[in-house]
Amino acid sequence: MLFLPTWSIIHSRVWKMQIPYFARHCRVVTFDGRGNGKSDRPSAPDAYKEEEFAADALAVMDATGTERAVLVSLSRGAERSLLIGASHPERVAGMVFIAPALPLPPAAPRSGAEQAFVTPHESYDGWQKWNKHYWLDQYEDFVQFFFSQVFTEPHSTKQREDAVGWALETDPETLIATQLAPRLPDEESVRELASRVRWPVLVIHGLDDAVRPHDSGAALAEMVGGAFVTLEGSGHCPQARDPVKVNLLLRDFACPPTPSRRWSRGKSRGKRALYISSPIGLGHAQRDVAIADELRKLHPGLEIDWLAQHPVTAVLEARGEHIHPASAHLANESQHIESESAEHDLHCFQAWRRMDEILLTNFMTFHDLARDEQYDLWIGDEAWEIDYYLHENPEEKRAAYVWLTDFVGWLPMPDGGDHEAFLTADYNGEMIEHIARYRRLRDRALFVGNPDDIVAEAFGPDLPLIRDWTEEHYDFPGYVTGFDPADFADRGRLRAELGYSEDEQICIVSVGGSGVGADLLRRVIAAFPYAKQRVPALRMIVVAGPRIDPASLPTHEGLEIRAYVHELYRHLAACDLAVVQGGLTTGMELTASRRPFLYFPLRHHFEQNLHVRHRLERYRAGRCMDYEAETPETIAAAIADEIGREVDYRRVEGDGAARAAAMIAELL
């Protein structure tokens, strides 16, 4: 498949929602068109003739050894696709046109502005901004306006931001040159090229396209005798805004899946569940395995496959769980989160937004698996991509579906300003609309906790209170620790099993399963000599976790550094103090085991600073620390103050996994 460049206002990243998926199913070629990205920006209009773009595409095919390809074009790419077919039909295996921009009736909304493109105006409103002089004077405003017309769908903030960013990688002079370049003049010139089409054609067009009329796409499909698909509610770039549907249409057209060679009659099938566990940290894995164990008690013989990635797979492998081979195709979410972090700083909401192509890639992996294999039940523990794209494409639901989460509501950080508050409210609003329209999609929605654990804030202006809405739409099994705190009532025996003597004061330092906590580990390690002076019996054990190399951390005499520790919660239950990041799972494990702890929420991490802190304060658990304000000396003082302290925490239930499993088991 050759994904062609479109207008030079954007580059090949416009295909980011297609490339990873199709690269698993066929050979994919794409490139930055002249005028943007990594390609040159010639100044002469003749350099942007459509024949030049077509020649570039053929040169790329030659350079990559691509004899034939399905050509996929977007908007202005339609003309160069037809030119390639007309001059080199032997290189074309098929054509897909998405929102083709060709001189076919009816006229485009900007047709009047195009005729006066070089004429200055006293004012520029709407499509009058399609003007050489306005571009030179107010380029960024034009770009903002243009992409508001490209993405007319509600809640398209990320797609618009992406496109504006790509447009700012070129300049108005380049775009003016592209606009002055000669193009096909009229319908007859299109018809002449279309008459040479001798291969399968698919045309996809959004009914709400505000840049190129939907009926012009229908006219092209009729002209070439191709299939035509209308996307109701979609705008000019559905491959970005409705990528699942577009990907499935492209897949069926260009490289259809092979039919399964095996089928089982319904009554002969054993019960099967597919469990999708969030890879951000290890906490989800611990509770998910506990729920899975309880499900098997209620449904003996239940087969559970796991769609998961590192570091979750480390827990699953240690437990002997079956990780589905399709997991190898998942794009790495933990690596992305780590790449977004700075020194003990992770802007969680923005990092999640910038993970959109990873989430789409992973949904497509899930989709192919769920299409090819029969499951009675899907369980998604904060599997955001599954939940979002199922609500965007509800027809893709094929099994009972359970959604689990331990927080509800994106919340802005105080220094995010009005823009972040707008964005979080917009994301929350879309989620609320999804649930209101398709309440049937989630057969069970479980909040891992209790109603009082929910923050008191609203989802945003003119949106409901988070707690009120969550109580209406979720069930509450209580918190799921993955263990029964009563099992550790005899701490002396537990310490002996783990090799901790009674005359030692054990301090466990852990930052979970991601690599984001390395800076906190280093600062606590620096505090060790000072803490040892204050607490002579101190034995500090630093757990690097599966994504931090222990050899990368500094050390001191008497300090122990370990890599991944299986069943770390047992060590936490045995310790005299823990120093941890601000994640919920470790904090609640320590709360359930009634151990004192210091916790350092990541800066800008809304979940740790708002949702988790609210819950821990409700349990009267832990001492919240500010990484920016604390030095090794003050951390050492806090360790000395807290180690071995008797606590008065609110009790954490020990049967959360069983209660969650009972709610899920009804669906089987």
Side-chain angles (χ1 to χ4, degrees):
M1 297 177 74
L2 173 59
F3 289 89
L4 290 165
T6 181
W7 186 28
S8 301
I9 197 170
I10 48 181
H11 47 61
S12 60
R13 289 282 287 154
V14 75
W15 299 114
K16 71 176 187 175
M17 296 300 210
Q18 283 67 54
I19 291 170
Y21 177 60
F22 285 100
R24 288 201 289 112
H25 299 295
C26 61
R27 187 164 185 246
V28 171
V29 178
T30 192
F31 64 99
D32 292 337
R34 52 179 64 201
N36 205 326
K38 296 181 179 180
S39 290
D40 292 342
R41 290 150 176 74
S43 58
D46 279 353
Y48 295 98
K49 292 191 297 185
E50 291 300 308
E51 291 81 0
E52 296 293 337
F53 282 98
D56 290 344
L58 289 165
V60 168
M61 292 179 73
D62 291 341
T64 56
T66 305
E67 294 185 7
R68 297 176 75 239
V70 173
L71 308 183
V72 185
S73 63
L74 169 68
S75 189
R76 192 171 286 196
E79 184 171 335
R80 55 205 64 160
S81 185
L82 288 172
L83 287 169
I84 294 169
S87 61
H88 292 80
E90 74 283 358
R91 309 297 294 270
V92 181
M95 285 184 178
V96 179
F97 298 90
I98 302 173
L102 294 165
L104 296 174
R110 67 167 184 260
S111 58
E114 284 184 324
Q115 295 173 13
F117 178 70
V118 298
T119 304
H121 303 305
E122 290 186 5
S123 62
Y124 298 88
D125 296 318
W127 280 110
Q128 287 182 325
K129 295 180 180 182
W130 189 273
N131 183 276
K132 167 185 175 179
H133 302 280
Y134 194 76
W135 292 5
L136 290 171
D137 188 50
Q138 299 289 335
Y139 178 61
E140 187 167 352
D141 183 73
F142 161 71
V143 167
Q144 294 279 0
F145 164 76
F146 179 69
F147 286 111
S148 74
Q149 302 303 298
V150 169
F151 295 105
T152 52
E153 303 90 341
H155 310 295
S156 296
T157 57
K158 182 58 167 62
Q159 291 79 12
R160 292 178 187 174
E161 285 180 21
D162 281 347
V164 168
W166 300 330
L168 295 178
E169 293 183 38
T170 189
D171 52 69
E173 291 81 4
T174 296
L175 291 191
I176 290 168
T178 68
Q179 183 62 16
L180 296 177
R183 298 185 61 206
L184 290 177
D186 51 30
E187 180 179 354
E188 191 55 40
S189 61
V190 177
R191 191 175 298 279
E192 195 280 325
L193 288 177
S195 67
R196 307 187 201 182
V197 171
R198 297 290 185 272
W199 41 82
V201 171
L202 170 65
V203 182
I204 303 170
H205 213 124
L207 189 60
D208 292 349
D209 191 332
V211 176
R212 285 286 168 172
H214 163 270
D215 289 353
S216 68
L220 175 64
E222 182 178 1
M223 196 176 285
V224 298
F228 182 66
V229 176
T230 295
L231 302 182
E232 294 190 21
S234 295
H236 190 59
C237 279
Q239 89 294 339
R241 191 60 184 86
D242 296 302
V244 171
K245 184 60 181 177
V246 171
N247 285 355
L248 296 179
L249 289 170
L250 292 178
R251 177 85 194 275
D252 288 342
F253 178 82
C255 46
T258 303
S260 175
R261 296 185 178 182
R262 187 167 186 167
W263 178 83
S264 300
R265 296 189 70 244
K267 289 185 67 175
S268 65
R269 298 175 190 171
K271 292 181 180 179
R272 300 182 72 204
L274 179 64
Y275 214 129
I276 306 98
S277 184
S278 170
I280 309 301
L282 290 172
H284 302 92
Q286 186 68 33
R287 73 184 181 209
D288 292 338
V289 166
I291 292 171
D293 286 344
E294 296 294 334
L295 268 177
R296 292 185 179 106
K297 293 177 184 177
L298 297 172
H299 287 279
L302 173 65
E303 178 185 337
I304 299 178
D305 288 344
W306 295 82
L307 188 63
Q309 55 184 283
H310 190 75
V312 169
T313 49
V315 174
L316 299 178
E317 288 166 353
R319 290 289 302 265
E321 296 285 347
H322 179 254
I323 302 168
H324 197 284
S327 300
H329 298 303
L330 294 171
N332 195 302
E333 296 178 24
S334 293
Q335 190 174 54
H336 168 81
I337 293 297
E338 290 161 18
S339 73
E340 291 273 347
S341 66
E343 183 179 350
H344 203 72
D345 192 342
L346 175 62
H347 209 308
C348 180
F349 172 64
Q350 296 294 354
W352 184 84
R353 291 184 79 228
R354 287 189 284 266
M355 197 162 64
D356 54 346
E357 65 193 286
I358 292 175
L359 295 174
L360 186 278
T361 297
N362 291 345
F363 177 82
M364 297 307 300
T365 298
F366 160 80
H367 171 275
D368 286 359
L369 170 58
R371 178 200 60 210
D372 295 341
E373 299 190 26
Q374 287 82 37
Y375 290 98
D376 300 277
L377 176 66
W378 302 333
I379 307 172
D381 186 351
E382 293 190 9
W384 301 102
E385 68 277 27
I386 310 301
D387 198 67
Y388 178 79
Y389 285 112
L390 281 178
H391 280 92
E392 288 281 279
N393 304 269
E395 68 278 4
E396 297 302 326
K397 182 184 176 185
R398 295 179 173 86
Y401 169 54
V402 177
W403 163 254
L404 292 89
T405 186
D406 53 41
F407 81 93
V408 176
W410 307 101
L411 295 175
M413 294 302 292
D415 61 357
D418 292 342
H419 184 61
E420 184 171 315
F422 163 76
L423 289 176
T424 54
D426 185 69
Y427 274 68
N428 289 333
E430 183 177 32
M431 179 270 295
I432 291 169
E433 292 169 14
H434 276 159
I435 303 304
R437 176 61 183 86
Y438 293 107
R439 292 192 69 151
R440 61 178 170 79
L441 203 143
R442 294 176 177 174
D443 295 284
R444 286 284 188 282
L446 303 183
F447 181 86
V448 183
N450 299 288
D452 287 342
D453 296 328
I454 303 169
V455 296
E457 282 80 359
F459 284 109
D462 302 319
L463 294 174
L465 292 173
I466 295 175
R467 176 168 177 173
D468 291 349
W469 186 90
T470 305
E471 287 194 80
E472 180 182 350
H473 293 89
Y474 280 78
D475 294 315
F476 296 85
Y479 192 73
V480 180
T481 59
F483 62 89
D484 186 346
D487 293 342
F488 305 134
D490 188 347
R491 287 187 62 244
R493 178 180 176 183
L494 177 63
R495 287 170 69 98
E497 288 178 6
L498 298 175
Y500 302 140
S501 65
E502 288 300 321
D503 60 352
E504 295 176 317
Q505 290 194 284
I506 304 299
C507 176
I508 303 290
V509 184
S510 172
V511 292
S514 77
V516 176
D519 291 300
L520 176 58
L521 292 183
R522 291 187 178 93
R523 186 162 296 182
V524 178
I525 289 171
F528 173 70
Y530 304 104
K532 184 71 172 175
Q533 291 175 1
R534 291 171 174 265
V535 186
L538 176 66
R539 180 181 174 187
M540 181 178 283
I541 300 163
V542 174
V543 181
R547 296 191 63 83
I548 298 174
D549 181 3
S552 69
L553 299 173
T555 188
H556 297 282
E557 184 178 353
L559 177 74
E560 301 173 42
I561 300 179
R562 301 182 186 178
Y564 170 68
V565 175
H566 184 53
E567 295 184 338
L568 178 63
Y569 64 89
R570 301 180 74 238
H571 297 259
L572 294 175
C575 75
D576 297 289
L577 177 72
V579 182
V580 299
Q581 217 175 70
L584 178 65
T585 300
T586 307
M588 288 301 291
E589 287 174 349
L590 288 160
T591 303
S593 298
R594 309 186 68 76
R595 308 314 307 143
F597 62 98
L598 310 176
Y599 68 100
F600 292 77
L602 287 164
R603 188 167 177 262
H604 290 121
H605 195 305
F606 78 92
E607 184 186 358
Q608 292 187 4
N609 283 278
L610 302 174
H611 290 284
V612 175
R613 187 169 182 178
H614 164 79
R615 191 182 304 217
L616 292 178
E617 287 177 349
R618 188 178 88 81
Y619 279 87
R620 303 186 297 275
R623 175 173 166 181
C624 187
M625 306 284 284
D626 183 348
Y627 177 86
E628 287 190 294
E630 305 298 341
T631 66
E633 292 85 354
T634 62
I635 293 173
I639 289 173
D641 290 343
E642 295 291 323
I643 197 162
R645 181 175 66 84
E646 290 294 322
V647 300
D648 182 29
Y649 298 162
R650 184 187 297 270
R651 295 282 177 181
V652 179
E653 57 269 72
D655 61 346
R659 291 164 64 185
M663 294 174 179
I664 296 170
E666 296 173 3
L667 302 175
L668 288 165

